[in-house]
Amino acid sequence: MEIRSLENTTTEELLSVFNTSFSDYIVPFHLSLEQLELKITADKIDKHLSVGVFESGKPVAFMLHAEKEEGGKRIVYNAGTGVIKEFRGQGLVRKMYEQIIPVFQDRKVDVMTLEVIEGNDPAIRAYENLGFKIVRKLLCFNGIINHKEKHPEILIKEIEPFQWEVIRSFWDIEPSWQSSIPVLDGILQDCTLLGAFKDDQLVGYAIYNPAVRKIYQIAVDKNYRNQGIGTQLFRAIGEMTDGQAISVNNVDDTSENTAAFLGNTIGLKNWVSQFEMKRELE
């Protein structure tokens, strides 16, 4: 058994171990090659910073990592960890971290972060034993958007890439990895950027990826809330989806108004929740 970087592992090999590892997961799922390629691009996964366990030359466990700099810190994100059933119980997650953490330290990484599904107690305990701590709970929503009446005084239209400083003032919470500014900057060309205007002023926006039907960010100016602006943004996205389900992932559960809005007004379902965990590196 050998532990090494995934830099020379093909995406096809990675797909095989990925799908086998997650086939009996707490929330089983299966990716196509195209979906995995999209994930690698969207999450900014770097195979040089990712690691796997190999048996007879074939991967039987993996840990995918991405890196960004934000707020003066270098952050590494665990974008997925899996171990094939037959190789569990051998401490492979710990061994992969033992292999890769010195690499992170050489790169002056400040923080490691990951997400783990609520209810996956063995994984949570394993990460806690590795020094990770739960920092917040994130809610994941999906479903078909309830179409609402159109408000003619609110204009929704596509906009050009904006200055992040302008729309950050709309935020109540910091987005998680997949919806953070450094990550989105790399995929904005694949997204539809919608602006909500009232009296010619930008009062809300949404970033929507039609290829995966995912809303990465949506926010309304604090001075214009409860005026139907968020509803109109979802209405516009709903028209684009042709009745297909969309997802809004990793909503901070401290934003109770957002969760209630997505569930009660828009008609989405909180189908799963995750914990965001972090570990500081010295």
Side-chain angles (χ1 to χ4, degrees), residues 158-167 184-185 187-194 202 205-207:
E158 288 192 35
I159 55 177
E160 295 297 319
F162 36 62
Q163 297 295 317
W164 287 108
E165 302 80 44
V166 174
I167 57 91
L184 288 185
D185 271 339
I187 59 170
L188 278 183
Q189 70 275 7
D190 301 319
C191 296
T192 300
L193 279 61
L194 294 176
L202 179 68
Y205 77 96
I207 301 174

Side-chain angles (χ1 to χ4, degrees), residues 19 23 38 40 42 46-47 50 57 59 73 78 93 111 117 121 154 157 160 170 196 199-200 206 212 222 279:
N19 284 334
S23 62
L38 283 172
I40 289 171
D46 186 342
K47 287 185 181 180
S50 303
K73 290 190 173 183
N78 181 335
V93 171
V111 181
I117 289 179
D121 296 332
I154 301 170
K157 64 180 181 179
E160 295 297 319
F170 296 0
D199 299 325
D200 295 324
V212 292
K222 297 178 178 65
R279 173 183 161 180

Side-chain angles (χ1 to χ4, degrees), residues 118 137-141 248-256 258-260 262 270-274:
E118 181 181 26
K137 183 176 177 179
L138 303 169
L139 312 179
C140 300
F141 291 82
V248 184
N249 291 339
N250 294 347
V251 176
D252 192 317
D253 82 325
T254 61
S255 184
E256 295 178 2
T258 302
L262 291 173
N270 174 205
W271 70 281
V272 72
S273 298
Q274 303 190 107

Side-chain angles (χ1 to χ4, degrees), residues 9-273:
T9 302
T10 67
T11 307
E12 287 80 3
E13 289 175 311
L14 189 55
L15 178 69
S16 177
V17 65
F18 189 102
N19 284 334
T20 304
S21 298
F22 283 107
S23 62
D24 63 342
Y25 192 47
I26 188 170
V27 179
F29 59 93
H30 183 279
L31 297 183
S32 66
L33 181 61
E34 182 183 20
Q35 287 170 328
L36 180 56
E37 289 171 340
L38 283 172
K39 176 178 174 62
I40 289 171
T41 300
D43 290 355
K44 297 185 69 173
I45 290 169
D46 186 342
K47 287 185 181 180
H48 293 82
L49 299 179
S50 303
V51 64
V53 181
F54 294 79
E55 178 70 26
S56 302
K58 292 185 178 181
V60 297
F62 67 91
M63 187 176 286
L64 304 177
H65 285 114
E67 184 182 56
K68 69 177 180 180
E69 289 191 35
E70 190 172 36
K73 290 190 173 183
R74 187 179 291 270
I75 304 166
V76 162
Y77 171 63
N78 181 335
T81 294
V83 180
I84 290 175
K85 185 176 181 179
E86 292 77 12
F87 292 87
R88 294 174 192 163
Q90 301 180 37
L92 296 186
V93 171
R94 175 178 289 277
K95 290 175 182 177
M96 284 189 286
Y97 266 120
E98 289 172 349
Q99 178 89 358
I100 200 66
I101 283 177
V103 176
F104 296 160
Q105 290 171 327
D106 287 344
R107 294 177 68 85
K108 308 298 183 186
V109 169
D110 298 292
V111 181
M112 298 189 301
T113 184
L114 57 86
E115 292 140 13
V116 59
I117 289 179
E118 181 181 26
N120 190 355
D121 296 332
I124 293 170
R125 286 194 299 270
Y127 288 125
E128 286 177 334
N129 290 335
L130 287 163
F132 286 86
K133 295 180 180 179
I134 293 173
V135 294
R136 60 176 172 169
K137 183 176 177 179
L138 303 169
L139 312 179
C140 300
F141 291 82
N142 67 14
I144 298 171
I145 296 171
N146 284 342
H147 283 260
K148 300 292 182 180
E149 250 181 67
K150 190 171 184 177
H151 292 192
E153 73 278 10
I154 301 170
L155 174 64
I156 307 295
K157 64 180 181 179
E158 288 192 35
I159 55 177
E160 295 297 319
F162 36 62
Q163 297 295 317
W164 287 108
E165 302 80 44
V166 174
I167 57 91
R168 282 184 74 107
S169 63
F170 296 0
W171 296 359
D172 288 326
I173 55 175
E174 285 291 324
S176 64
W177 178 276
Q178 293 174 345
S179 300
S180 64
I181 292 172
V183 174
L184 288 185
D185 271 339
I187 59 170
L188 278 183
Q189 70 275 7
D190 301 319
C191 296
T192 300
L193 279 61
L194 294 176
F197 294 83
K198 191 169 186 179
D199 299 325
D200 295 324
Q201 181 174 343
L202 179 68
V203 295
Y205 77 96
I207 301 174
Y208 173 67
N209 187 333
V212 292
R213 298 197 303 277
K214 180 185 292 185
I215 297 174
Y216 289 109
Q217 288 188 13
I218 186 164
V220 174
D221 186 321
K222 297 178 178 65
N223 298 313
Y224 288 86
R225 292 180 182 172
N226 301 311
Q227 298 182 32
I229 292 161
T231 303
Q232 293 304 297
L233 284 164
F234 270 101
R235 185 183 187 279
I237 294 170
E239 290 178 345
M240 295 166 58
T241 64
D242 194 26
Q244 297 184 85
I246 59 99
S247 63
V248 184
N249 291 339
N250 294 347
V251 176
D252 192 317
D253 82 325
T254 61
S255 184
E256 295 178 2
N257 290 339
T258 302
F261 169 72
L262 291 173
N264 300 333
T265 304
I266 304 304
L268 305 183
K269 180 183 178 183
N270 174 205
W271 70 281
V272 72
S273 298

